[in-house]
Amino acid sequence: RPNETDARGVTRPGMVLAMHKPVGVACSMRDPGRRVFDLLPPRFRARSPALSSIGRLDKETSGLLLLTDDGTLLHRIISPKAGIAKVYEAELAETLRGDETDLFASGTLLLESESTPLLPAALQILGPRKARLTLHEGRYHQVRRMFAATGNAVTALHRVAIGGLALDALGLAPSQWSVLDAEEIARVFVVP
């Protein structure tokens, strides 16, 4: 696991954390109320360079969140060119219509107020009102907006994996976090 400080006690960059973000906690320091940084020890909040979330989950979304103080790694993961898969499980207000799998995979779906179609996304039906969605981009509230485009609403959303790094494999309960080792970080770049 990465060392937190060097021999002089100076913080070293390169730390990557995985967190099981609970519902009701924000990722941005600008958001009011509880933030993911409040779930970390004070020494982590005081790091320089500061920890930043790698992508975000909205306040009402739970699941795997990565944080790092390594700007190069952060940009490598969030870059659209990287195409790293993000896997979500969504519970829906209405029964799925049956055409969502083809629509999401088509690469033609336009979200409201956007002019560029979404990249193809893989939808796996888990039940009449539950689905797993794999995305290779990260637009604002993308999963919620995709289902809204089909006339449905997401009632619960949970990110289960980023690349080949699955939340279940980390064994983290809501609000728990762990420092990732090099092997775990490498899994982010593995195609699931």
Side-chain angles (χ1 to χ4, degrees):
R1 295 188 183 275
N3 290 327
E4 200 175 312
T5 58
D6 66 14
R8 298 167 307 182
V10 176
T11 303
R12 293 186 194 177
M15 176 182 277
V16 181
L17 302 177
M19 178 183 285
H20 184 159
K21 186 190 110 37
V23 169
V25 177
C27 289
S28 173
M29 291 297 278
R30 292 183 290 257
D31 288 339
R34 273 179 83 206
R35 297 179 297 265
V36 294
F37 303 99
D38 298 331
L39 302 175
L40 299 172
R43 70 182 186 277
F44 285 6
R45 294 193 299 270
R47 287 178 67 87
S48 180
L51 285 170
S52 298
S53 62
I54 302 176
R56 291 189 181 159
L57 293 174
D58 66 50
K59 203 169 191 173
E60 299 311 312
T61 300
S62 62
L64 181 58
L65 179 69
L66 301 178
L67 300 106
T68 188
D69 60 3
D70 182 337
T72 302
L73 178 66
L74 184 148
H75 290 292
R76 188 173 159 216
I77 293 171
I78 65 170
S79 169
K81 291 179 183 175
I84 292 175
K86 290 163 280 297
V87 184
Y88 298 84
E89 289 184 357
E91 292 181 23
L92 305 163
E94 306 293 331
T95 301
L96 290 157
R97 301 183 318 200
D99 65 342
E100 294 91 350
T101 301
D102 291 338
L103 177 63
F104 293 172
S106 72
T108 61
L109 180 62
L110 276 172
L111 297 178
E112 187 176 325
S113 75
E114 291 194 12
S115 58
T116 306
L118 295 173
L119 294 176
L123 183 71
Q124 178 186 359
I125 308 300
L126 302 176
R129 293 184 180 186
K130 188 170 183 179
R132 178 175 290 137
L133 185 60
T134 302
L135 307 177
H136 294 278
E137 60 186 329
R139 298 192 196 183
Y140 180 74
H141 292 274
Q142 184 172 343
V143 174
R144 295 178 191 281
R145 294 170 66 206
M146 287 173 75
F147 283 106
T150 70
N152 211 334
V154 173
T155 59
L157 188 59
H158 182 74
R159 183 158 59 194
V160 297
I162 299 173
L165 183 66
L167 183 58
D168 285 351
L170 296 171
L172 299 174
S175 299
Q176 287 187 328
W177 55 272
S178 66
V179 177
L180 297 183
D181 61 28
E183 181 182 314
E184 290 166 327
I185 295 166
R187 280 191 226 149
V188 169
F189 300 96
V190 173
V191 177

